[in-house]
Amino acid sequence: MLYCWATIMTDVERLLIRWQAAGVLEPRAVERIRLWESEQKHPAAPRPGRPHKQVQVARVMGWQGIVALVLGGLLLGCGVILFAAAHWDNLGPAARLILVMSMVAVLHLAGAVVRDKYFNLSTTLHAVGTIATGAAIALVGQIFNIQEHWPAAVLIWAIAAVAGWALLHDEAQQTLTFLLIPAWIFSELELATEHNIGQSVYLGRFLLVWAILYLTAFLGSRRKFVRGILFGVAALASVVAMVLMTQGWRSYSAMQTAVSPGTRFWGWTVVAKVPLLLSLIQLRKCLLPVGAAVILSIALPWCQHIWIEHSEFGSGLKGSYTRNDPNFAAYALVGAFAVFLIGWGVRQASKALVNFAMAGFALAVGWFYFSSIFDKVGRSIGLIGLGILFLAGGWALEKMRRRLMARMEHNFAGAQEVQ
């Protein structure tokens, strides 16, 4: 109940509407319950390992306080890094280790001290401490010249974030956990496919499927900080994924080899099997989009126009390398997937997903125009066409977006009346 305290009033309101419609409660009783619930204050979070006490501490902050905390956390982290960098060369290995460990310990201890009275400040300090843990891991590896398997450092960082989430139960640690675990898997996949043909394809597939998982799994979540950060990161990752996958099976040297069968097996495990299993937790929200993303990740890298170019480097030396460009099917697939996400966003009543998918559709159209039309019609005609495309396409997309938003609001209002 403490963990989901922000949702209590919403749940009570729905129950009151349902009970009043069924005739169980009279209007006067409903108003009295609303008044009593609105006067209650949020309970403070208990410290880890201690029983909860009913300490009345308000956690609600204005946007000014949130901005100040975010900027303060960033500035504090940058200041700590600059301080360590300025004195790094003058310190011995033992002093460097003490400095690194003290940096993490002081931040977490300060967060623990102020947690009861200043919860948001405590959350910020703990978040900076967890972020500083990553820097500490890298610096310790540098001190002792540990370079054998660098993704292990990301794994240790992710474990630190998981421990922080398990102990603190706050949104900052949860967000770091959900970012660092895929970052570790991505690092392992990048290292395993290094110098292989198709490395960018597998990395792009991973980013796309996990991005769609994050874009859809947290729709409607009450944890707005987690939802907002993950949505923004996933949106950027999906664009990067498309760019990586359109590079196809490009090779730059005859010495390059394809990804080994064992690596392909584990690659598809983290690309498709794990996200599909995780999507079962939020079955109605993300299983179908994740499945569609898997299908797109399989098909898109093969929608290529591929040719081999030969070149001479002098002294009789010759070389060849594989070139590729996306064909029309690639643009059509990306556009169709964006349309699917628009429909899914309408179904889930998510304005953010609809807006993102519409922007993705516009990018797909612009990508096709620049790649296939602009260079073939001349610079002046191409710019005229681009202007018409922006004006007409922007007007049509905005008109459609407003219509979809109005439909979602109407459906939501109808659902509320039914409840």
Side-chain angles (χ1 to χ4, degrees):
M1 181 176 180
L2 295 173
Y3 189 76
C4 303
W5 183 261
T7 67
I8 291 178
M9 281 302 298
T10 303
D11 295 337
V12 169
E13 185 64 26
R14 292 179 178 177
L15 292 175
L16 289 177
I17 295 174
R18 184 183 303 174
W19 292 339
Q20 186 177 1
V24 178
L25 291 177
E26 297 180 355
R28 182 177 299 178
V30 171
E31 292 301 324
R32 290 178 61 189
I33 293 174
R34 285 190 182 127
L35 179 61
W36 187 87
E37 288 289 347
S38 64
E39 292 176 351
Q40 305 307 305
K41 296 183 179 180
H42 294 198
R47 288 187 180 182
R50 293 189 180 182
H52 174 71
K53 297 179 180 179
Q54 295 294 334
V55 181
Q56 302 296 334
V57 179
R59 294 192 187 180
V60 180
M61 291 187 65
W63 65 268
Q64 299 92 338
I66 295 174
V67 170
L69 286 176
V70 172
L71 291 178
L74 292 175
L75 292 173
L76 177 61
C78 292
V80 170
I81 293 174
L82 288 176
F83 176 81
H87 300 82
W88 194 252
D89 293 335
N90 300 325
L91 300 175
R96 291 179 180 181
L97 181 61
I98 293 173
L99 175 62
V100 167
M101 301 304 295
S102 299
M103 175 179 65
V104 177
V106 167
L107 288 169
H108 282 297
L109 287 175
V113 169
V114 302
R115 191 161 185 82
D116 282 342
K117 294 184 178 181
Y118 307 102
F119 178 80
N120 294 286
L121 176 60
S122 172
T123 300
T124 303
L125 290 173
H126 282 301
V128 176
T130 303
I131 295 172
T133 302
I137 294 169
L139 292 175
V140 170
Q142 181 184 2
I143 293 171
F144 296 102
N145 298 319
I146 302 174
Q147 300 176 351
E148 292 186 3
H149 191 74
W150 64 267
V154 185
L155 173 60
I156 298 173
W157 193 9
I159 293 173
V162 172
W165 184 24
L167 293 172
L168 301 173
H169 300 290
D170 61 34
E171 297 185 36
Q173 302 297 325
Q174 182 182 4
T175 303
L176 289 171
T177 299
F178 287 155
L179 291 177
L180 289 174
I181 291 178
W184 163 62
I185 301 175
F186 182 87
S187 302
E188 294 283 2
L189 185 61
E190 193 274 337
L191 187 62
T193 58
E194 191 174 15
H195 304 307
N196 290 135
I197 299 174
Q199 180 190 38
S200 62
V201 171
Y202 281 93
L203 296 179
R205 284 168 169 171
F206 176 85
L207 286 178
L208 176 66
V209 177
W210 281 79
I212 298 303
L213 174 65
Y214 278 15
L215 284 171
T216 55
F218 296 94
L219 295 179
S221 173
R222 303 293 179 181
R223 307 205 122 193
K224 295 183 179 180
F225 181 83
V226 178
R227 182 184 64 193
I229 296 297
L230 295 182
F231 192 96
V233 173
L236 293 175
S238 63
V239 176
V240 175
M242 295 296 181
V243 175
L244 290 174
M245 285 191 292
T246 53
Q247 293 183 10
W249 313 101
R250 183 179 303 176
S251 65
Y252 300 95
S253 171
M255 301 298 293
Q256 284 185 286
T257 59
V259 179
S260 65
T263 303
R264 286 201 296 268
F265 172 80
W266 290 111
W268 278 112
T269 298
V270 298
V271 166
K273 298 175 185 177
V274 174
L276 286 172
L277 288 176
L278 292 175
S279 65
L280 294 176
I281 300 174
Q282 297 287 345
L283 179 62
R284 296 182 179 180
K285 289 184 179 181
C286 59
L287 180 60
L288 190 58
V290 170
V294 171
I295 295 174
L296 177 64
S297 69
I298 295 173
L300 185 59
W302 297 101
C303 299
Q304 303 282 329
H305 170 57
I306 303 174
W307 71 97
I308 298 176
E309 289 189 357
H310 301 275
S311 58
E312 295 185 4
F313 303 101
S315 302
L317 296 177
K318 297 182 179 181
S320 63
Y321 55 96
T322 305
R323 293 289 305 273
N324 65 289
D325 279 329
N327 57 24
F328 179 77
Y331 309 121
L333 278 175
V334 175
F337 186 71
V339 172
F340 166 77
L341 285 183
I342 292 172
W344 191 258
V346 173
R347 180 177 179 179
Q348 299 294 327
S350 172
K351 294 182 181 180
L353 186 59
V354 171
N355 290 331
F356 165 73
M358 283 198 160
F361 182 81
L363 287 175
V365 174
W367 174 35
F368 169 71
Y369 183 85
F370 274 106
S371 300
S372 304
I373 298 178
F374 187 83
D375 292 336
K376 297 179 180 179
V377 298
R379 184 174 299 176
S380 59
I381 301 299
L383 289 175
I384 293 173
L386 184 62
I388 296 173
L389 178 65
F390 269 91
L391 292 174
W395 173 80
L397 284 177
E398 178 61 20
K399 185 177 180 180
M400 182 182 297
R401 189 188 70 84
R402 293 184 179 183
R403 186 181 304 172
L404 293 175
M405 295 300 175
R407 183 187 302 177
M408 285 192 296
E409 291 179 359
H410 176 74
N411 294 339
F412 180 76
Q416 289 292 103
E417 291 180 359
V418 171
Q419 292 179 355

